[in-house]
Amino acid sequence: MDKIQYLSQFNLLNSLSMEDLVEMDQLTSITTVAKSQYIQTPDSFAEGLYFVKKGKVRLYKLNAEGKQFTLDILSEGNVFGEMAGISFGTRELYIETVEECHICLMNKERFESFLVHHPRFMMNLMKVLSERMIDMSHLAQNLALAKLHDKILFILVKLSDQFGVTEDCEFYKIDIPLSHQEIANFVGATREAVTAALQDLVKEQVIKTGFKTIYIHRGKLSERNIM
C-alpha cells in the first residue's frame, strides 16, 4: 500500500480530495518504529506533526520520583506533535510505541503552505485539537477528584471507547493488553492498590479479568454514573 492510500485512511483527512491527497503525499515521510521504542522524549523533542498510520503509541510523563503517569494511548489515525503554530501539547511527554508502528511525519515548510490553501483541512485539524483538549481536561478532573475505584473505571471506559469490542451481550472487551502496572500508570496509584481495587470490582461483577485482558459491564457502569 502506498502513502496516498495510507493517508486516505486517516479520519482527519476524510475531507480531502484525491488531488489533495496526492499533494499531501509529497509532504510526508513514513517510518516504521519497532515495539517499545521511543519516538520522543522531553530531551529529544523535535518540531513536527506526526500521524499514526498503524499501531499504538503511549504518551506519558514522569514525576519527580521517576514514576510514570500515562496520559493517553493513540492508535491509527491519531495525531501528535507541534508544528507551524499548531500544538497537541506533547512537547514535554515521553512517546513510546506499544507495538510496531508506521508513523508519518509532515514537512514543515510545505505543510504551512498546504494549510493556507486548504481551509477545510485546517478546520478539521482545529476540531481534533479542541476534542483533544476537552478529553484531557475531562481526564484530569476525574483523576483528581474521584476515588481509586472510580478512577480505574473511568480509565477503563475511556479505553473501551477507543479499543472496545463486544464480547457478549453484557461485557465489552478492551482490545489492548493491560497489566495492573499499566493501569496504575494511568491513575497514579501503586500496582498493589490497583490489584486490590480490581479484585473488588470483579466481586461486584462490574468487570471481568484475564491475562492482561479486562472486560467491562457497561450497563453496571452506567448505573454508577461512570459513563
Side-chain angles (χ1 to χ4, degrees):
M1 184 180 291
D2 60 29
K3 285 190 289 183
I4 295 174
Q5 291 172 301
Y6 275 13
L7 291 171
S8 67
Q9 295 181 21
F10 294 146
N11 293 336
L12 185 60
L13 306 182
N14 281 346
S15 63
L16 299 181
S17 66
M18 180 54 66
E19 180 181 354
D20 292 338
L21 288 172
V22 170
E23 183 175 353
M24 181 69 77
D25 172 60
Q26 298 172 353
L27 310 180
T28 64
S29 59
I30 295 180
T31 301
T32 299
V33 185
K35 178 181 177 180
S36 301
Q37 298 297 311
Y38 287 114
I39 296 173
Q40 172 193 296
T41 70
D43 292 334
S44 67
F45 168 81
E47 189 173 70
L49 197 61
Y50 301 83
F51 294 85
V52 182
K53 161 51 196 160
K54 178 182 178 182
K56 299 178 181 68
V57 301
R58 181 169 73 101
L59 280 57
Y60 71 90
K61 281 189 170 184
L62 295 179
N63 65 14
E65 291 74 39
K67 183 177 178 59
Q68 296 183 11
F69 181 72
T70 300
L71 298 174
D72 209 349
I73 294 178
L74 305 183
S75 57
E76 290 87 347
N78 288 137
V79 189
F80 63 91
E82 181 175 318
M83 185 170 67
I86 297 169
S87 174
F88 286 89
T90 55
R91 176 185 285 262
E92 301 298 326
L93 303 183
Y94 292 84
I95 302 177
E96 182 183 25
T97 56
V98 176
E99 57 196 34
E100 182 180 274
C101 293
H102 294 176
I103 305 295
C104 294
L105 173 63
M106 307 296 296
N107 175 279
K108 180 179 182 295
E109 289 75 18
R110 299 171 78 177
F111 181 63
E112 290 176 343
S113 176
F114 185 86
L115 288 179
V116 170
H117 295 94
H118 297 80
R120 185 183 299 176
F121 176 83
M122 184 57 152
M123 291 299 295
N124 284 349
L125 189 58
M126 295 304 295
K127 179 181 178 182
V128 170
L129 283 168
S130 176
E131 290 174 348
R132 178 72 61 82
M133 295 304 294
I134 291 171
D135 286 346
M136 294 303 293
S137 176
H138 192 201
L139 175 64
Q141 290 177 30
N142 278 275
L143 294 183
L145 301 176
K147 296 180 180 179
L148 178 58
H149 288 58
D150 287 339
K151 288 181 181 181
I152 292 172
L153 291 176
F154 179 80
I155 288 298
L156 294 181
V157 169
K158 178 180 183 296
L159 294 174
S160 176
D161 289 339
Q162 289 179 274
F163 309 113
V165 295
T166 303
E167 183 67 16
D168 55 38
C169 60
E170 295 182 329
F171 284 88
Y172 283 73
K173 176 183 178 182
I174 300 176
D175 195 23
I176 182 173
L178 282 173
S179 67
H180 291 190
Q181 183 60 59
E182 286 162 337
I183 296 172
N185 291 342
F186 268 108
V187 299
T190 65
R191 181 184 59 79
E192 292 77 12
V194 166
T195 295
L198 289 173
Q199 290 171 347
D200 291 340
L201 294 171
V202 169
K203 291 176 182 177
E204 296 173 26
Q205 298 184 330
V206 179
I207 67 172
K208 297 191 302 184
T209 60
F211 177 68
K212 287 195 173 184
T213 306
I214 294 182
Y215 307 79
I216 65 171
H217 194 301
R218 294 180 71 91
K220 291 185 177 181
L221 286 173
S222 181
E223 292 172 2
R224 295 175 67 135
N225 295 318
I226 299 296
M227 300 179 66

